[in-house]
Amino acid sequence: MKQFMMTGICVLLITGLLTGCSAGQKNASIETAQSAPAGEETAATNSSQESVNEAASPAHREGSSETGEKDRLAAEPLAIYMDVQYQSETADDGTMLVSGHYPRIWMGGEDSRYEALSQAITAYTEKLAESNAQEIAQLKADAESGMKDGWWTEGSYYTSELDARVMRSDSTVVSVLVTASSFSGGAHPNYGYQAVNFDSRTGTELELNDVLEDGQLDNLPEMLSTKLLEMYPPETFYASAKDLAGTIRTALLDTGKDDAESGGVAWTLGNDGIRFYFAPYEIAPYAAGTQMVMFRYADHPELVKQEYVSTSLDFIEPFMMDVPTTLPGTKAKALKVSYLPGGSSDEDEYTFTMTLGDNTYTEDIHGYHFDPYLVHKGERNYLYLEVGVESDWKYLKIYDLNGNQILEAKEFDRGFRYESPTDPDHMELATRTDLLSTNGAWRRYTLDAAGMPKEIETYDYIQPDLVSSLTTLKELKAEVRSSEQGSGTEETIAASTVLNFYATDEESWVDFKDADGHFIRIAVSKNDGVDQIDGVPAEELLDGMMFAG
């Protein structure tokens, strides 16, 4: 039995995901190492995804090569959206037994060129949901058995959680990394990785041998071993330094197999390079954490086929905690971000340690969850740390990474609309609005010269949280337009008209759309915190308003 074999329910969850997505796929052969074309199958589904004010994918951008890098063709960024769907199971008396969640991923906009990709992504999300539901059902059965037999720990519950990160999203490749974490008792949770890489043009799931140049799969174990031993002390790994490449070779062979003894090796195609992820128990003990290796396209032009290297030169991608990562556009400057509970009485305060080269920056941050993103534009790099606090509020802490040390963060009072930003020229940042109801609101931003968000629009689109529409109780005056932009005419809106929330400036007006597609702007003012329309309390004119406490 291999020492690095993952144990517990987490390996079942990962194996289930691999099984669900590898039907009809080829098993890569390191021995022959012949480049094979991508498979013919595409995962299709008739399911549709809900969308609210989703813009079409951003337009094609021309790219230019970075200093010291070979020319790379610009690719068209694709809008990929993601949110979190929650699942839980309780006992008959209401006791929480299992808590879980999985990501819902879908494409924004409508573009017939990517219909197969959209269907494949939707089908993949459905597999994630099914896999997580099966694990939660099994965990519930285990918990109920524990309660019956008397070994269940009161106040505890099991977890099964799938979290996804969109590592790249363009007209060539959509690459997603999924972390599967579970707890079913014991000293600690278990976690592992699974990744899916789609050919954007066909929706086909790519295998590693599809994207590597001829013969490179056979060289990969030694390349990974050499890189790992440069990054970590030799005693980190189960295998000796001379045997590590053989261990990795076996793990690569197991990738995608239904009967794999190990979890295989998850890999993603990023904007700056190809990454490989080794979960605990794969090549090292749990205490060693995750090992991640990236081979930058510019440093290893022989490794990945040029057609998959062609990507946008400006990008946003998730940043992995606790793993030193060389910043794009630099040869050796690595960033590492980690955090631990702080020493104050605030149980939700954490001490962040950020190391850039030889310099270290520390900061205490209050929050419930933290999501770091690397933002790269031109030759400049920034760390966007999204912080979740009370009442589901999110904001950004923005760190400049372009000098010899990390500069103190600037704050921006919005967070990302969805958890999959990829394009610094098209950032959708969200907040809350309280005009005529409490709802989510978002607008588009680009990056300014200092790395801060710069608004593209001067108003927000409304993403309904509490209420999606209001109904007029009486006649009222409003500006009516046939299009979103431009001027309109003042008209009388009849009583009993249903108005669907659309946009707002968060201060003086709210735009609605009626059943005929007209844009209706209602001017709003506040008097002692009460919304008014032409001096009349809004609740006397509109039915259905709701506000968060």
PDB file of all heavy atoms in Angstrom, residues 245-278:
ATOM      1  N   ALA A 245      10.602  11.155  -7.664  1.00  0.00           N
ATOM      2  CA  ALA A 245      10.106  11.178  -9.048  1.00  0.00           C
ATOM      3  C   ALA A 245       9.279   9.938  -9.349  1.00  0.00           C
ATOM      4  O   ALA A 245       8.252  10.013 -10.045  1.00  0.00           O
ATOM      5  CB  ALA A 245      11.264  11.297 -10.032  1.00  0.00           C
ATOM      6  N   GLY A 246       9.680   8.771  -8.835  1.00  0.00           N
ATOM      7  CA  GLY A 246       8.906   7.550  -9.053  1.00  0.00           C
ATOM      8  C   GLY A 246       7.555   7.609  -8.387  1.00  0.00           C
ATOM      9  O   GLY A 246       6.548   7.145  -8.946  1.00  0.00           O
ATOM     10  N   THR A 247       7.499   8.186  -7.185  1.00  0.00           N
ATOM     11  CA  THR A 247       6.219   8.358  -6.492  1.00  0.00           C
ATOM     12  C   THR A 247       5.296   9.262  -7.298  1.00  0.00           C
ATOM     13  O   THR A 247       4.100   8.986  -7.450  1.00  0.00           O
ATOM     14  CB  THR A 247       6.453   8.959  -5.096  1.00  0.00           C
ATOM     15  OG1 THR A 247       7.267   8.080  -4.333  1.00  0.00           O
ATOM     16  CG2 THR A 247       5.140   9.188  -4.377  1.00  0.00           C
ATOM     17  N   ILE A 248       5.844  10.347  -7.815  1.00  0.00           N
ATOM     18  CA  ILE A 248       5.045  11.279  -8.615  1.00  0.00           C
ATOM     19  C   ILE A 248       4.587  10.610  -9.910  1.00  0.00           C
ATOM     20  O   ILE A 248       3.446  10.804 -10.354  1.00  0.00           O
ATOM     21  CB  ILE A 248       5.851  12.553  -8.899  1.00  0.00           C
ATOM     22  CG1 ILE A 248       6.099  13.315  -7.598  1.00  0.00           C
ATOM     23  CG2 ILE A 248       5.130  13.437  -9.912  1.00  0.00           C
ATOM     24  CD1 ILE A 248       7.069  14.474  -7.745  1.00  0.00           C
ATOM     25  N   ARG A 249       5.445   9.809 -10.521  1.00  0.00           N
ATOM     26  CA  ARG A 249       5.080   9.110 -11.766  1.00  0.00           C
ATOM     27  C   ARG A 249       3.844   8.231 -11.528  1.00  0.00           C
ATOM     28  O   ARG A 249       2.911   8.207 -12.334  1.00  0.00           O
ATOM     29  CB  ARG A 249       6.255   8.267 -12.253  1.00  0.00           C
ATOM     30  CG  ARG A 249       5.995   7.541 -13.580  1.00  0.00           C
ATOM     31  CD  ARG A 249       7.230   6.751 -13.989  1.00  0.00           C
ATOM     32  NE  ARG A 249       8.371   7.631 -14.196  1.00  0.00           N
ATOM     33  CZ  ARG A 249       8.641   8.227 -15.358  1.00  0.00           C
ATOM     34  NH1 ARG A 249       7.848   8.030 -16.404  1.00  0.00           N
ATOM     35  NH2 ARG A 249       9.689   9.004 -15.475  1.00  0.00           N
ATOM     36  N   THR A 250       3.820   7.520 -10.404  1.00  0.00           N
ATOM     37  CA  THR A 250       2.671   6.669 -10.090  1.00  0.00           C
ATOM     38  C   THR A 250       1.421   7.502  -9.882  1.00  0.00           C
ATOM     39  O   THR A 250       0.332   7.144 -10.345  1.00  0.00           O
ATOM     40  CB  THR A 250       2.958   5.838  -8.830  1.00  0.00           C
ATOM     41  OG1 THR A 250       4.136   5.057  -9.053  1.00  0.00           O
ATOM     42  CG2 THR A 250       1.802   4.919  -8.511  1.00  0.00           C
ATOM     43  N   ALA A 251       1.558   8.623  -9.185  1.00  0.00           N
ATOM     44  CA  ALA A 251       0.402   9.495  -8.956  1.00  0.00           C
ATOM     45  C   ALA A 251      -0.135  10.055 -10.267  1.00  0.00           C
ATOM     46  O   ALA A 251      -1.349  10.151 -10.472  1.00  0.00           O
ATOM     47  CB  ALA A 251       0.785  10.630  -8.009  1.00  0.00           C
ATOM     48  N   LEU A 252       0.750  10.408 -11.188  1.00  0.00           N
ATOM     49  CA  LEU A 252       0.312  10.906 -12.492  1.00  0.00           C
ATOM     50  C   LEU A 252      -0.447   9.834 -13.251  1.00  0.00           C
ATOM     51  O   LEU A 252      -1.452  10.109 -13.918  1.00  0.00           O
ATOM     52  CB  LEU A 252       1.510  11.376 -13.306  1.00  0.00           C
ATOM     53  CG  LEU A 252       2.134  12.719 -12.914  1.00  0.00           C
ATOM     54  CD1 LEU A 252       3.450  12.925 -13.647  1.00  0.00           C
ATOM     55  CD2 LEU A 252       1.169  13.862 -13.204  1.00  0.00           C
ATOM     56  N   LEU A 253       0.005   8.589 -13.166  1.00  0.00           N
ATOM     57  CA  LEU A 253      -0.690   7.494 -13.837  1.00  0.00           C
ATOM     58  C   LEU A 253      -2.076   7.274 -13.252  1.00  0.00           C
ATOM     59  O   LEU A 253      -2.991   6.833 -13.942  1.00  0.00           O
ATOM     60  CB  LEU A 253       0.137   6.209 -13.730  1.00  0.00           C
ATOM     61  CG  LEU A 253       1.341   6.102 -14.665  1.00  0.00           C
ATOM     62  CD1 LEU A 253       2.193   4.900 -14.288  1.00  0.00           C
ATOM     63  CD2 LEU A 253       0.895   5.995 -16.111  1.00  0.00           C
ATOM     64  N   ASP A 254      -2.243   7.578 -11.955  1.00  0.00           N
ATOM     65  CA  ASP A 254      -3.532   7.368 -11.297  1.00  0.00           C
ATOM     66  C   ASP A 254      -4.542   8.466 -11.619  1.00  0.00           C
ATOM     67  O   ASP A 254      -5.732   8.308 -11.360  1.00  0.00           O
ATOM     68  CB  ASP A 254      -3.347   7.308  -9.777  1.00  0.00           C
ATOM     69  CG  ASP A 254      -2.867   5.931  -9.311  1.00  0.00           C
ATOM     70  OD1 ASP A 254      -2.947   4.994 -10.113  1.00  0.00           O
ATOM     71  OD2 ASP A 254      -2.417   5.823  -8.158  1.00  0.00           O
ATOM     72  N   THR A 255      -4.084   9.586 -12.152  1.00  0.00           N
ATOM     73  CA  THR A 255      -4.982  10.703 -12.409  1.00  0.00           C
ATOM     74  C   THR A 255      -6.099  10.295 -13.368  1.00  0.00           C
ATOM     75  O   THR A 255      -5.851   9.846 -14.482  1.00  0.00           O
ATOM     76  CB  THR A 255      -4.209  11.899 -12.998  1.00  0.00           C
ATOM     77  OG1 THR A 255      -3.190  12.290 -12.069  1.00  0.00           O
ATOM     78  CG2 THR A 255      -5.135  13.074 -13.258  1.00  0.00           C
ATOM     79  N   GLY A 256      -7.332  10.456 -12.907  1.00  0.00           N
ATOM     80  CA  GLY A 256      -8.483  10.160 -13.743  1.00  0.00           C
ATOM     81  C   GLY A 256      -8.946   8.733 -13.731  1.00  0.00           C
ATOM     82  O   GLY A 256      -9.963   8.401 -14.338  1.00  0.00           O
ATOM     83  N   LYS A 257      -8.239   7.826 -13.032  1.00  0.00           N
ATOM     84  CA  LYS A 257      -8.637   6.424 -13.010  1.00  0.00           C
ATOM     85  C   LYS A 257      -9.711   6.165 -11.951  1.00  0.00           C
ATOM     86  O   LYS A 257      -9.654   6.714 -10.857  1.00  0.00           O
ATOM     87  CB  LYS A 257      -7.426   5.529 -12.726  1.00  0.00           C
ATOM     88  CG  LYS A 257      -6.442   5.408 -13.886  1.00  0.00           C
ATOM     89  CD  LYS A 257      -5.368   4.391 -13.554  1.00  0.00           C
ATOM     90  CE  LYS A 257      -4.393   4.200 -14.700  1.00  0.00           C
ATOM     91  NZ  LYS A 257      -3.353   3.211 -14.369  1.00  0.00           N
ATOM     92  N   ASP A 258     -10.675   5.307 -12.289  1.00  0.00           N
ATOM     93  CA  ASP A 258     -11.734   4.972 -11.345  1.00  0.00           C
ATOM     94  C   ASP A 258     -11.206   4.193 -10.151  1.00  0.00           C
ATOM     95  O   ASP A 258     -11.700   4.321  -9.035  1.00  0.00           O
ATOM     96  CB  ASP A 258     -12.823   4.138 -12.035  1.00  0.00           C
ATOM     97  CG  ASP A 258     -13.481   4.907 -13.174  1.00  0.00           C
ATOM     98  OD1 ASP A 258     -13.195   6.112 -13.304  1.00  0.00           O
ATOM     99  OD2 ASP A 258     -14.263   4.293 -13.911  1.00  0.00           O
ATOM    100  N   ASP A 259     -10.187   3.347 -10.367  1.00  0.00           N
ATOM    101  CA  ASP A 259      -9.698   2.458  -9.312  1.00  0.00           C
ATOM    102  C   ASP A 259      -8.340   2.909  -8.784  1.00  0.00           C
ATOM    103  O   ASP A 259      -7.541   2.111  -8.314  1.00  0.00           O
ATOM    104  CB  ASP A 259      -9.594   1.026  -9.822  1.00  0.00           C
ATOM    105  CG  ASP A 259      -8.686   0.914 -11.053  1.00  0.00           C
ATOM    106  OD1 ASP A 259      -8.305   1.981 -11.602  1.00  0.00           O
ATOM    107  OD2 ASP A 259      -8.356  -0.220 -11.456  1.00  0.00           O
ATOM    108  N   ALA A 260      -8.086   4.199  -8.844  1.00  0.00           N
ATOM    109  CA  ALA A 260      -6.788   4.709  -8.435  1.00  0.00           C
ATOM    110  C   ALA A 260      -6.543   4.478  -6.954  1.00  0.00           C
ATOM    111  O   ALA A 260      -7.427   4.646  -6.134  1.00  0.00           O
ATOM    112  CB  ALA A 260      -6.697   6.208  -8.745  1.00  0.00           C
ATOM    113  N   GLU A 261      -5.301   4.078  -6.628  1.00  0.00           N
ATOM    114  CA  GLU A 261      -4.928   3.924  -5.225  1.00  0.00           C
ATOM    115  C   GLU A 261      -4.663   5.279  -4.579  1.00  0.00           C
ATOM    116  O   GLU A 261      -4.825   5.456  -3.377  1.00  0.00           O
ATOM    117  CB  GLU A 261      -3.691   3.039  -5.099  1.00  0.00           C
ATOM    118  CG  GLU A 261      -3.926   1.582  -5.449  1.00  0.00           C
ATOM    119  CD  GLU A 261      -2.688   0.749  -5.117  1.00  0.00           C
ATOM    120  OE1 GLU A 261      -2.209   0.841  -3.982  1.00  0.00           O
ATOM    121  OE2 GLU A 261      -2.224   0.024  -5.997  1.00  0.00           O
ATOM    122  N   SER A 262      -4.229   6.235  -5.340  1.00  0.00           N
ATOM    123  CA  SER A 262      -4.031   7.589  -4.827  1.00  0.00           C
ATOM    124  C   SER A 262      -5.090   8.490  -5.451  1.00  0.00           C
ATOM    125  O   SER A 262      -5.869   8.072  -6.293  1.00  0.00           O
ATOM    126  CB  SER A 262      -2.636   8.104  -5.196  1.00  0.00           C
ATOM    127  OG  SER A 262      -2.601   8.491  -6.560  1.00  0.00           O
ATOM    128  N   GLY A 263      -5.127   9.732  -5.025  1.00  0.00           N
ATOM    129  CA  GLY A 263      -6.082  10.677  -5.588  1.00  0.00           C
ATOM    130  C   GLY A 263      -5.656  11.226  -6.921  1.00  0.00           C
ATOM    131  O   GLY A 263      -6.371  12.008  -7.531  1.00  0.00           O
ATOM    132  N   GLY A 264      -4.461  10.812  -7.403  1.00  0.00           N
ATOM    133  CA  GLY A 264      -3.961  11.358  -8.644  1.00  0.00           C
ATOM    134  C   GLY A 264      -3.406  12.758  -8.413  1.00  0.00           C
ATOM    135  O   GLY A 264      -3.236  13.212  -7.284  1.00  0.00           O
ATOM    136  N   VAL A 265      -3.105  13.446  -9.476  1.00  0.00           N
ATOM    137  CA  VAL A 265      -2.537  14.786  -9.408  1.00  0.00           C
ATOM    138  C   VAL A 265      -3.491  15.757 -10.091  1.00  0.00           C
ATOM    139  O   VAL A 265      -3.783  15.603 -11.277  1.00  0.00           O
ATOM    140  CB  VAL A 265      -1.149  14.841 -10.079  1.00  0.00           C
ATOM    141  CG1 VAL A 265      -0.577  16.251  -9.998  1.00  0.00           C
ATOM    142  CG2 VAL A 265      -0.203  13.846  -9.424  1.00  0.00           C
ATOM    143  N   ALA A 266      -3.964  16.743  -9.360  1.00  0.00           N
ATOM    144  CA  ALA A 266      -4.801  17.779  -9.954  1.00  0.00           C
ATOM    145  C   ALA A 266      -3.899  18.801 -10.638  1.00  0.00           C
ATOM    146  O   ALA A 266      -2.825  19.137 -10.131  1.00  0.00           O
ATOM    147  CB  ALA A 266      -5.648  18.449  -8.883  1.00  0.00           C
ATOM    148  N   TRP A 267      -4.321  19.274 -11.794  1.00  0.00           N
ATOM    149  CA  TRP A 267      -3.539  20.267 -12.518  1.00  0.00           C
ATOM    150  C   TRP A 267      -4.474  21.276 -13.161  1.00  0.00           C
ATOM    151  O   TRP A 267      -5.609  20.958 -13.518  1.00  0.00           O
ATOM    152  CB  TRP A 267      -2.660  19.603 -13.590  1.00  0.00           C
ATOM    153  CG  TRP A 267      -3.431  18.827 -14.624  1.00  0.00           C
ATOM    154  CD1 TRP A 267      -3.887  17.556 -14.521  1.00  0.00           C
ATOM    155  CD2 TRP A 267      -3.868  19.320 -15.903  1.00  0.00           C
ATOM    156  NE1 TRP A 267      -4.580  17.192 -15.652  1.00  0.00           N
ATOM    157  CE2 TRP A 267      -4.580  18.258 -16.521  1.00  0.00           C
ATOM    158  CE3 TRP A 267      -3.734  20.526 -16.581  1.00  0.00           C
ATOM    159  CZ2 TRP A 267      -5.155  18.398 -17.783  1.00  0.00           C
ATOM    160  CZ3 TRP A 267      -4.303  20.657 -17.844  1.00  0.00           C
ATOM    161  CH2 TRP A 267      -4.992  19.607 -18.434  1.00  0.00           C
ATOM    162  N   THR A 268      -4.000  22.510 -13.283  1.00  0.00           N
ATOM    163  CA  THR A 268      -4.787  23.561 -13.928  1.00  0.00           C
ATOM    164  C   THR A 268      -3.898  24.338 -14.884  1.00  0.00           C
ATOM    165  O   THR A 268      -2.685  24.472 -14.668  1.00  0.00           O
ATOM    166  CB  THR A 268      -5.392  24.539 -12.906  1.00  0.00           C
ATOM    167  OG1 THR A 268      -4.342  25.131 -12.115  1.00  0.00           O
ATOM    168  CG2 THR A 268      -6.382  23.833 -11.986  1.00  0.00           C
ATOM    169  N   LEU A 269      -4.508  24.847 -15.932  1.00  0.00           N
ATOM    170  CA  LEU A 269      -3.847  25.763 -16.851  1.00  0.00           C
ATOM    171  C   LEU A 269      -4.188  27.184 -16.419  1.00  0.00           C
ATOM    172  O   LEU A 269      -5.353  27.600 -16.501  1.00  0.00           O
ATOM    173  CB  LEU A 269      -4.312  25.518 -18.283  1.00  0.00           C
ATOM    174  CG  LEU A 269      -3.746  24.280 -18.981  1.00  0.00           C
ATOM    175  CD1 LEU A 269      -4.513  24.015 -20.274  1.00  0.00           C
ATOM    176  CD2 LEU A 269      -2.258  24.448 -19.270  1.00  0.00           C
ATOM    177  N   GLY A 270      -3.199  27.900 -15.930  1.00  0.00           N
ATOM    178  CA  GLY A 270      -3.427  29.269 -15.493  1.00  0.00           C
ATOM    179  C   GLY A 270      -3.074  30.268 -16.566  1.00  0.00           C
ATOM    180  O   GLY A 270      -2.761  29.921 -17.713  1.00  0.00           O
ATOM    181  N   ASN A 271      -3.078  31.532 -16.183  1.00  0.00           N
ATOM    182  CA  ASN A 271      -2.749  32.598 -17.124  1.00  0.00           C
ATOM    183  C   ASN A 271      -1.248  32.730 -17.336  1.00  0.00           C
ATOM    184  O   ASN A 271      -0.797  33.156 -18.390  1.00  0.00           O
ATOM    185  CB  ASN A 271      -3.302  33.921 -16.596  1.00  0.00           C
ATOM    186  CG  ASN A 271      -4.810  33.917 -16.525  1.00  0.00           C
ATOM    187  OD1 ASN A 271      -5.492  34.115 -17.522  1.00  0.00           O
ATOM    188  ND2 ASN A 271      -5.349  33.679 -15.343  1.00  0.00           N
ATOM    189  N   ASP A 272      -0.480  32.330 -16.325  1.00  0.00           N
ATOM    190  CA  ASP A 272       0.961  32.532 -16.380  1.00  0.00           C
ATOM    191  C   ASP A 272       1.738  31.221 -16.463  1.00  0.00           C
ATOM    192  O   ASP A 272       2.930  31.220 -16.728  1.00  0.00           O
ATOM    193  CB  ASP A 272       1.406  33.317 -15.140  1.00  0.00           C
ATOM    194  CG  ASP A 272       2.755  33.972 -15.320  1.00  0.00           C
ATOM    195  OD1 ASP A 272       3.018  34.496 -16.413  1.00  0.00           O
ATOM    196  OD2 ASP A 272       3.551  33.959 -14.366  1.00  0.00           O
ATOM    197  N   GLY A 273       1.032  30.086 -16.189  1.00  0.00           N
ATOM    198  CA  GLY A 273       1.730  28.814 -16.212  1.00  0.00           C
ATOM    199  C   GLY A 273       0.800  27.659 -15.883  1.00  0.00           C
ATOM    200  O   GLY A 273      -0.389  27.847 -15.620  1.00  0.00           O
ATOM    201  N   ILE A 274       1.333  26.460 -15.901  1.00  0.00           N
ATOM    202  CA  ILE A 274       0.581  25.254 -15.557  1.00  0.00           C
ATOM    203  C   ILE A 274       0.938  24.876 -14.119  1.00  0.00           C
ATOM    204  O   ILE A 274       2.107  24.900 -13.727  1.00  0.00           O
ATOM    205  CB  ILE A 274       0.884  24.097 -16.537  1.00  0.00           C
ATOM    206  CG1 ILE A 274       0.010  22.876 -16.228  1.00  0.00           C
ATOM    207  CG2 ILE A 274       2.357  23.741 -16.570  1.00  0.00           C
ATOM    208  CD1 ILE A 274       0.083  21.793 -17.309  1.00  0.00           C
ATOM    209  N   ARG A 275      -0.084  24.529 -13.311  1.00  0.00           N
ATOM    210  CA  ARG A 275       0.105  24.231 -11.902  1.00  0.00           C
ATOM    211  C   ARG A 275      -0.266  22.778 -11.602  1.00  0.00           C
ATOM    212  O   ARG A 275      -1.208  22.240 -12.194  1.00  0.00           O
ATOM    213  CB  ARG A 275      -0.747  25.150 -11.032  1.00  0.00           C
ATOM    214  CG  ARG A 275      -0.326  26.611 -11.020  1.00  0.00           C
ATOM    215  CD  ARG A 275      -1.316  27.437 -10.211  1.00  0.00           C
ATOM    216  NE  ARG A 275      -0.863  28.792  -9.978  1.00  0.00           N
ATOM    217  CZ  ARG A 275      -1.061  29.805 -10.815  1.00  0.00           C
ATOM    218  NH1 ARG A 275      -1.699  29.589 -11.956  1.00  0.00           N
ATOM    219  NH2 ARG A 275      -0.631  31.025 -10.517  1.00  0.00           N
ATOM    220  N   PHE A 276       0.445  22.211 -10.620  1.00  0.00           N
ATOM    221  CA  PHE A 276       0.174  20.862 -10.143  1.00  0.00           C
ATOM    222  C   PHE A 276       0.007  20.918  -8.626  1.00  0.00           C
ATOM    223  O   PHE A 276       0.780  21.580  -7.924  1.00  0.00           O
ATOM    224  CB  PHE A 276       1.316  19.914 -10.523  1.00  0.00           C
ATOM    225  CG  PHE A 276       1.507  19.776 -12.008  1.00  0.00           C
ATOM    226  CD1 PHE A 276       2.302  20.668 -12.707  1.00  0.00           C
ATOM    227  CD2 PHE A 276       0.863  18.761 -12.709  1.00  0.00           C
ATOM    228  CE1 PHE A 276       2.479  20.561 -14.078  1.00  0.00           C
ATOM    229  CE2 PHE A 276       1.024  18.636 -14.076  1.00  0.00           C
ATOM    230  CZ  PHE A 276       1.831  19.533 -14.765  1.00  0.00           C
ATOM    231  N   TYR A 277      -1.012  20.197  -8.127  1.00  0.00           N
ATOM    232  CA  TYR A 277      -1.377  20.284  -6.716  1.00  0.00           C
ATOM    233  C   TYR A 277      -1.277  18.903  -6.068  1.00  0.00           C
ATOM    234  O   TYR A 277      -1.836  17.925  -6.575  1.00  0.00           O
ATOM    235  CB  TYR A 277      -2.815  20.800  -6.573  1.00  0.00           C
ATOM    236  CG  TYR A 277      -3.081  22.078  -7.329  1.00  0.00           C
ATOM    237  CD1 TYR A 277      -3.460  22.047  -8.675  1.00  0.00           C
ATOM    238  CD2 TYR A 277      -2.950  23.316  -6.713  1.00  0.00           C
ATOM    239  CE1 TYR A 277      -3.698  23.217  -9.378  1.00  0.00           C
ATOM    240  CE2 TYR A 277      -3.191  24.496  -7.409  1.00  0.00           C
ATOM    241  CZ  TYR A 277      -3.564  24.434  -8.737  1.00  0.00           C
ATOM    242  OH  TYR A 277      -3.795  25.593  -9.432  1.00  0.00           O
ATOM    243  N   PHE A 278      -0.585  18.845  -4.949  1.00  0.00           N
ATOM    244  CA  PHE A 278      -0.441  17.604  -4.194  1.00  0.00           C
ATOM    245  C   PHE A 278      -1.093  17.793  -2.825  1.00  0.00           C
ATOM    246  O   PHE A 278      -0.618  18.589  -2.002  1.00  0.00           O
ATOM    247  CB  PHE A 278       1.034  17.232  -4.041  1.00  0.00           C
ATOM    248  CG  PHE A 278       1.728  16.958  -5.347  1.00  0.00           C
ATOM    249  CD1 PHE A 278       2.351  17.987  -6.041  1.00  0.00           C
ATOM    250  CD2 PHE A 278       1.736  15.681  -5.877  1.00  0.00           C
ATOM    251  CE1 PHE A 278       2.992  17.737  -7.238  1.00  0.00           C
ATOM    252  CE2 PHE A 278       2.371  15.423  -7.084  1.00  0.00           C
ATOM    253  CZ  PHE A 278       2.998  16.452  -7.770  1.00  0.00           C
TER     254      PHE A 278
END
